[in-house]
Amino acid sequence: MQGICVPILCVCICVTVLLRSAISQPRSESDTYTECTDGYHWDPQTEHCKDINECETIPDACKGEMKCFNHYGGYLCLPRSASLIPAPEPSITPAEPLNPCPLGYEPQGNSCVDIDECERHEHDCQPSQECINSVGAFTCQCPDGYRKVGTECVDIDECRYRYCQHRCVNVPGSFSCQCEPGFQLAGNNRSCIDVNECEMGAPCSQRCYNTYGTFLCRCDQGYELGPDGFECKDIDECSYSSYLCQYQCVNEPGKFSCVCPEGYRLLGTRMCQDINECETGEHECTETQNCVNIHGRYQCVDKNGCQEPYIQVSDNRCVCPVNNPACRELPFSIVHRYMSITSERSVPSDIFQIQATSVSARAYNTFRIRSGDENGDFYIRQINNISAMLVLARAVSGPREYTLDLEMVSINPLVNYQNNYQTSSALRLSIYVGPYTF
């Protein structure tokens, strides 16, 4: 008998291995004793030495997480997760006559020839093992993925040797490698290579960018990524700010655009500019009318705007003859002017300057709003003796039209010392308030 200590899975496993002649120990005719080797006891019924099951006779034969497995002439302590193929109980054959040949041979005539134990099934290999005959002996070979411990085949945990790049799954007799999401097994079935999800139909609705082990979805300008990380939805830029466009913002897929009201055109991308229909010819004024451009539209006014008792002396100037009694309380002349302002203009705001074209020596001039400002939306600020400024006093909203008579009253004491000779002239200013603030 030989005693061998074999390290298995970092645990020392003591195995008692018997020589072939010691597996079953029948006594010969000359035997007169009943003693057996270690690990066996004498069975008087069969008159043979029988294996002792130490796992049953020795209390706590294996410590810790180790499990006891009985073995011929001894026992094994293996991890509880170990996979074993149990060996069949050896059969006890009747004592054979004395063989003069060495072990593993048999006499044939005057010589000894090798016994093929594998062919005769005179071996103790497990059913899962392959018996390989050799000269004078045989060996039991375990299947792939197992290694032999004594007479047992124990599964090899290949995952302990880090064969796989990512994950290893051990199975009895083999193993398999698995990759993390975003990777796939390479041709060697061990390494993991990145999967280009963008080329394999990634669910990105617009742009896909492959990264190591995963992918990213991105959106075109004017879109934003949805909560699922795949779909792109349009950004409603118009809802973010009311200052994107001067008039109106129109949301479109992936962008926005600015539009202007009728009578305006887009200046750049967001500003609105009044169209001067009088310059472009886009008006319907007749030959007897003048085209006056105002914010968002135009106005046709008669070239002769003089009313009785005034008579026209030029395109925009009317005079009241001094010899006409009806002209005594009226300004001597009226000049027609036209202008346009935007709605909600900041106030006070200077909007029109009045300038005397001719004055008499030593004359004293004053300026006033003669008519047309019933609500007090305007006032006159005199600058000097010959000029004044019309000021918008209150913010006004359009569309709206004012017709103001701005009068300059001249007093000349040299002409009439006692009566202080007084004359006046007026500027009839038509003010058109546009509908918008631009």
Side-chain angles (χ1 to χ4, degrees):
M1 178 187 71
Q2 295 178 344
I4 300 175
C5 185
V6 181
I8 300 297
L9 301 177
C10 299
V11 178
C12 185
I13 303 175
C14 293
V15 182
T16 302
V17 181
L18 302 179
L19 298 178
R20 293 170 54 114
S21 61
I23 292 179
S24 178
Q25 298 181 349
R27 64 172 184 171
S28 62
E29 295 180 358
S30 59
D31 288 339
T32 58
Y33 57 88
T34 59
E35 294 183 1
C36 299
T37 58
D38 291 341
Y40 291 85
H41 68 90
W42 178 256
D43 185 359
Q45 184 176 359
T46 60
E47 295 184 351
H48 285 82
C49 289
K50 187 177 181 180
D51 176 58
I52 299 173
N53 190 343
E54 292 84 356
C55 296
E56 296 179 354
T57 59
I58 300 177
D60 296 330
C62 297
K63 305 295 183 180
E65 296 298 321
M66 308 301 285
K67 183 178 180 181
C68 181
F69 292 88
N70 186 53
H71 189 271
Y72 299 122
Y75 64 95
L76 302 174
C77 290
L78 299 177
R80 294 184 180 275
S81 60
S83 176
L84 296 179
I85 303 175
E89 191 73 21
S91 58
I92 300 175
T93 57
E96 298 178 356
L98 180 63
N99 182 5
C101 294
L103 185 64
Y105 292 84
E106 65 181 357
Q108 187 175 3
N110 297 325
S111 61
C112 294
V113 296
D114 174 59
I115 299 174
D116 189 344
E117 296 87 352
C118 300
E119 183 179 345
R120 294 184 181 183
H121 301 287
E122 297 177 359
H123 60 81
D124 58 355
C125 294
Q126 301 178 19
S128 62
Q129 297 175 343
E130 180 183 1
C131 177
I132 300 176
N133 186 61
S134 59
V135 178
F138 67 93
T139 57
C140 298
Q141 182 174 316
C142 292
D144 292 339
Y146 290 84
R147 60 182 170 183
K148 196 173 182 182
V149 179
T151 60
E152 306 291 338
C153 288
V154 180
D155 174 54
I156 299 173
D157 186 1
E158 295 86 354
C159 296
R160 296 187 59 195
Y161 303 102
R162 299 183 179 179
Y163 289 141
C164 301
Q165 182 178 356
H166 284 183
R167 289 182 294 170
C168 179
V169 179
N170 186 59
V171 294
S174 184
F175 70 98
S176 63
C177 295
Q178 296 179 354
C179 296
E180 300 293 342
F183 296 87
Q184 64 183 7
L185 277 176
N188 58 12
N189 290 326
R190 294 185 179 183
S191 302
C192 294
I193 57 176
D194 176 59
V195 175
N196 190 339
E197 296 87 351
C198 299
E199 296 179 353
M200 300 177 64
C204 297
S205 63
Q206 290 187 355
R207 298 182 182 180
C208 179
Y209 295 93
N210 186 58
T211 60
Y212 189 69
T214 184
F215 65 96
L216 296 175
C217 295
R218 290 293 180 264
C219 299
D220 297 331
Q221 185 176 1
Y223 295 85
E224 62 183 355
L225 203 61
D228 60 359
F230 305 133
E231 293 294 329
C232 292
K233 61 179 184 178
D234 174 58
I235 298 174
D236 186 0
E237 297 88 351
C238 299
S239 65
Y240 288 165
S241 173
S242 60
Y243 297 99
L244 291 176
C245 298
Q246 191 173 32
Y247 174 64
Q248 183 179 354
C249 179
V250 178
N251 185 59
E252 300 176 16
K255 61 179 181 178
F256 71 96
S257 61
C258 297
V259 296
C260 295
E262 185 179 1
Y264 294 83
R265 61 187 169 197
L266 197 63
L267 180 64
T269 58
R270 61 176 299 270
M271 305 298 292
C272 291
Q273 183 183 51
D274 173 59
I275 298 174
N276 191 335
E277 295 87 353
C278 300
E279 291 183 355
T280 62
E282 301 175 10
H283 64 84
E284 298 179 356
C285 297
T286 65
E287 293 182 356
T288 61
Q289 294 175 321
N290 288 324
C291 179
V292 178
N293 185 65
I294 57 180
H295 285 88
R297 57 191 181 94
Y298 65 93
Q299 188 75 19
C300 295
V301 296
D302 293 333
K303 291 182 179 180
N304 184 5
C306 300
Q307 299 175 354
E308 291 290 338
Y310 288 89
I311 59 175
Q312 185 179 17
V313 295
S314 64
D315 284 347
N316 60 352
R317 189 168 183 263
C318 304
V319 296
C320 197
V322 294
N323 58 358
N324 189 340
C327 294
R328 290 182 180 179
E329 300 298 327
L330 298 176
F332 171 71
S333 67
I334 296 177
V335 177
H336 293 268
R337 291 285 186 268
Y338 308 92
M339 70 172 296
S340 179
I341 62 175
T342 59
S343 290
E344 302 300 328
R345 187 166 176 166
S346 60
V347 293
S349 177
D350 297 346
I351 62 172
F352 191 85
Q353 185 173 351
I354 311 166
Q355 183 76 35
T357 56
S358 63
V359 293
S360 301
R362 294 183 179 275
Y364 176 70
N365 301 313
T366 59
F367 298 85
R368 67 174 183 173
I369 300 176
R370 181 183 177 89
S371 64
D373 186 28
E374 291 76 11
N375 296 326
D377 295 332
F378 304 89
Y379 67 87
I380 290 288
R381 185 182 76 248
Q382 188 158 344
I383 300 173
N384 50 42
N385 192 46
I386 62 172
S387 64
M389 182 65 71
L390 177 65
V391 180
L392 179 65
R394 296 190 303 181
V396 293
S397 299
R400 188 173 181 179
E401 183 177 344
Y402 293 89
T403 301
L404 302 179
D405 280 351
L406 308 178
E407 186 178 25
M408 183 183 74
V409 179
S410 298
I411 300 175
N412 193 339
L414 295 181
V415 175
N416 190 334
Y417 177 74
Q418 293 180 344
N419 296 326
N420 288 337
Y421 181 75
Q422 175 177 309
T423 62
S424 69
S425 61
L427 186 147
R428 182 161 292 169
L429 181 62
S430 297
I431 302 175
Y432 301 95
V433 182
Y436 309 106
T437 58
F438 49 87

